[in-house]
């Protein structure tokens, strides 16, 4: 019997861009709207059930409603489809309904485990579209692959999806295409971003690793993240901060002002924004500018993280709490632009992928401590943000602030190991 996706030892995620026809775009929108509707119905029923249970007086109508909602939530897919008959239309993917319900329950599970994001909220209509489906395999299939499921590759340029049919795609790595016979597909997400690009994200699994384990090279590095330059490592190498948002900030601000004027003009003439062609044209322009910055930053972070992981057995970084740092309004824009949290996430999963070690340490006093003798700068001698270079009063060693901090971060990481 073939293993399930959860039983496979290696997992990977790929995102490809697809080019649907007009009819396929209509189906994607319908399934996306239905997925959002089912999620919101689940949220509405749970909210009603919660508040009705707060009524302590045994009122018959309240007790009947509680019993009805409890029964519906046992089989929500059937209950919602029975009440809203339009969900039984053949345009809708049945697995889309199951995934919408699963995502709602996952949101509750995450809330109970983490308690940070809050309880599930109603999903609002926006300019993006998304829904999930799953890849199913026939009982006749003995070896599930990327070429024989309900979501499958028909060739190196086309993808088959339930209800949508055949879609042309680009962006799937060659190493995945060459190994299509021993890789299987799991959850599949179909989406459209604010710029109107259609994307398909595939969760894939295999018995074999997707990336060859890197040989040990006996190299360890600590990295200090800062705004002056993007990164300084314990070997003294410095990577400059590209500041992608700042380079396009003026052009983006001008485009956004134009968008606001067109929104005011549409409202003044009592037209809906969805029907105002000038507004929608300008909205797409703004979305493409923002997407360009996001793609540039993501590409830069991928290059930096891959280089660090491939060239070092151990990478140690400081533990950052970006959410707290963003409260500093003077630095919030620069911190958002630099993408530290994304870099740390990339380093974490790439370390597992390539068989390397990555850990984060508490950055307390890494800047104020001499990496040579361990002297701590306190009181009047405490370093300020303006002190980029300093000399240790105890041993006389000259330090470049960020290089010294990176050395201390590496030392803390080695001590933790």
């Amino acid at each position: 019997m073939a293993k399930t996706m959860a039983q496979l030892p290696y997992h990977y995620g790929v995102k490809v861009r697809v080019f649907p026809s007009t009819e396929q775009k209509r189906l994607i929108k319908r399934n996306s709207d239905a997925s959002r509707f089912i999620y919101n119905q689940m949220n509405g029923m749970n909210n009603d059930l919660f508040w009705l249970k707060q009524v302590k007086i045994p009122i018959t109508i309240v007790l009947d409603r509680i019993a009805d909602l409890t029964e519906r939530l046992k089989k929500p897919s059937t209950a919602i489809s029975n009440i809203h008959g339009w969900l039984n239309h053949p345009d809708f993917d049945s697995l889309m309904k199951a995934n919408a319900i699963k995502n709602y329950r996952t949101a509750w599970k995450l809330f109970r485990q983490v308690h940070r994001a809050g309880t599930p909220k109603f999903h609002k209509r926006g300019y993006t579209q998304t829904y999930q489906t799953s890849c199913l395999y026939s009982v006749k299939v003995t070896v599930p692959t990327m070429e024989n499921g309900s979501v499958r590759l028909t060739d190196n340029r086309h993808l088959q999806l339930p209800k949508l049919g055949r879609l042309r795609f680009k962006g799937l790595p060659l190493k995945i295409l060459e190994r299509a016979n021993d890789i299987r597909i799991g959850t599949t997400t179909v989406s459209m971003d604010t710029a109107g690009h259609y994307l398909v994200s595939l969760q894939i699994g295999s018995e074999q690793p997707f990336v060859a384990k890197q040989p040990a090279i006996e190299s360890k590095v600590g990295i200090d993240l800062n705004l002056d330059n993007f990164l300084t490592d314990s070997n003294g190498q410095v990577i400059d901060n590209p500041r992608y948002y700042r380079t396009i900030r003026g052009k983006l601000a001008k485009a956004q002002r134009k968008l606001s004027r067109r929104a005011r003009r549409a409202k003044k003439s009592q037209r809906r924004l969805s029907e105002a062609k000038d507004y929608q044209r300008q909205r797409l322009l703004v979305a493409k500018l923002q997407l360009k910055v996001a793609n540039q930053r993501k590409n830069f972070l991928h290059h930096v993280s891959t280089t660090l992981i491939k060239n070092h057995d151990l990478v140690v970084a400081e533990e950052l709490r970006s959410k707290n740092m963003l409260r500093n309004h003077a630095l919030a824009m620069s911190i958002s632009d630099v993408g530290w949290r994304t870099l740390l996430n990339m380093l974490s999963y790439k370390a597992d992928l390539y068989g390397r070690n990555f850990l984060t340490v508490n950055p307390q006093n890494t800047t104020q401590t001499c990496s040579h003798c361990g002297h701590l700068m306190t009181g009047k001698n405490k370093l300020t943000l303006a002190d980029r270079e300093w000399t240790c009063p105890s041993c006389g060693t000259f330090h470049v602030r960020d290089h010294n901090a990176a050395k201390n971060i590496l030392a803390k990481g080695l001590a933790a190991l």
Side-chain angles (χ1 to χ4, degrees), residues 381-396:
N381 294 327
K382 191 172 183 179
L383 303 175
T384 64
L385 286 174
D387 299 322
R388 308 311 302 175
E389 297 176 348
W390 58 285
T391 302
C392 177
S394 177
C395 65

Side-chain angles (χ1 to χ4, degrees), residues 67-79:
D68 180 45
L69 287 172
T70 305
E71 191 63 31
R72 285 187 195 177
L73 287 169
K74 289 179 181 177
K75 292 184 178 180
S77 180
T78 306

Side-chain angles (χ1 to χ4, degrees), residues 127-272:
Y127 289 111
T128 60
Q129 300 170 17
T130 182
Y131 75 92
Q132 283 188 337
T133 185
S134 301
C135 181
L136 296 182
Y137 292 91
S138 168
V139 291
K140 297 178 181 178
V141 175
T142 55
V143 182
T145 69
M146 293 183 78
E147 299 172 340
N148 56 17
S150 59
V151 178
R152 62 183 179 274
L153 299 179
T154 56
D155 55 50
N156 287 356
R157 286 290 175 267
H158 294 90
L159 187 69
Q160 185 82 15
L161 288 172
K163 299 297 179 182
L164 298 182
R166 200 161 176 256
L167 286 162
R168 183 170 66 88
F169 72 87
K170 71 173 185 180
L172 195 62
L174 185 61
K175 61 185 178 182
I176 302 296
L177 291 171
E178 291 172 347
R179 290 183 48 194
N181 291 330
D182 67 342
I183 294 174
R184 65 174 295 175
I185 299 174
T187 303
T188 301
T189 305
V190 184
S191 61
M192 185 196 77
D193 63 21
T194 52
H197 300 153
Y198 287 85
L199 306 160
V200 172
S201 301
L202 303 170
Q203 178 202 12
I204 57 178
S206 177
E207 293 278 4
Q208 305 298 324
F210 290 96
V211 175
K213 300 293 183 183
Q214 299 293 305
I217 52 177
E218 300 299 327
S219 176
K220 301 171 180 62
V221 70
I223 56 174
D224 176 62
L225 304 171
N226 50 82
L227 293 175
D228 189 38
N229 49 65
F230 176 73
L231 178 152
T232 303
D233 68 19
S234 54
N235 299 323
Q237 294 180 341
V238 177
I239 298 175
D240 292 331
N241 187 352
R243 295 185 172 89
Y244 291 114
Y245 175 72
R246 287 183 182 273
T247 59
I248 207 170
R249 186 182 176 190
K251 187 176 181 180
L252 181 60
K254 186 177 179 180
Q256 287 173 326
R257 287 196 297 270
K258 193 173 181 180
L259 182 68
S260 298
R261 288 197 300 271
R262 291 188 175 181
R264 287 197 299 269
R265 192 183 306 159
K267 290 178 181 177
K268 195 173 182 180
S269 59
Q270 297 183 346
R271 286 179 298 154
R272 296 174 65 182

Side-chain angles (χ1 to χ4, degrees), residues 77-141:
S77 180
T78 306
I80 294 171
S81 296
N82 287 342
I83 296 171
H84 306 280
W86 58 272
L87 287 171
N88 296 314
H89 194 278
D91 280 353
F92 297 118
D93 184 353
S94 61
L95 293 170
M96 169 274 296
K97 302 176 188 178
N99 276 283
I101 293 166
K102 185 185 79 171
N103 290 339
Y104 178 77
R105 288 171 172 164
T106 301
W108 267 111
K109 185 178 178 182
L110 287 174
F111 165 71
R112 294 187 182 104
Q113 288 176 347
V114 182
H115 291 286
R116 284 185 185 173
T119 58
K121 305 293 190 299
F122 287 99
H123 285 178
K124 297 180 181 179
R125 184 187 303 172
Y127 289 111
T128 60
Q129 300 170 17
T130 182
Y131 75 92
Q132 283 188 337
T133 185
S134 301
C135 181
L136 296 182
Y137 292 91
S138 168
V139 291
K140 297 178 181 178
V141 175

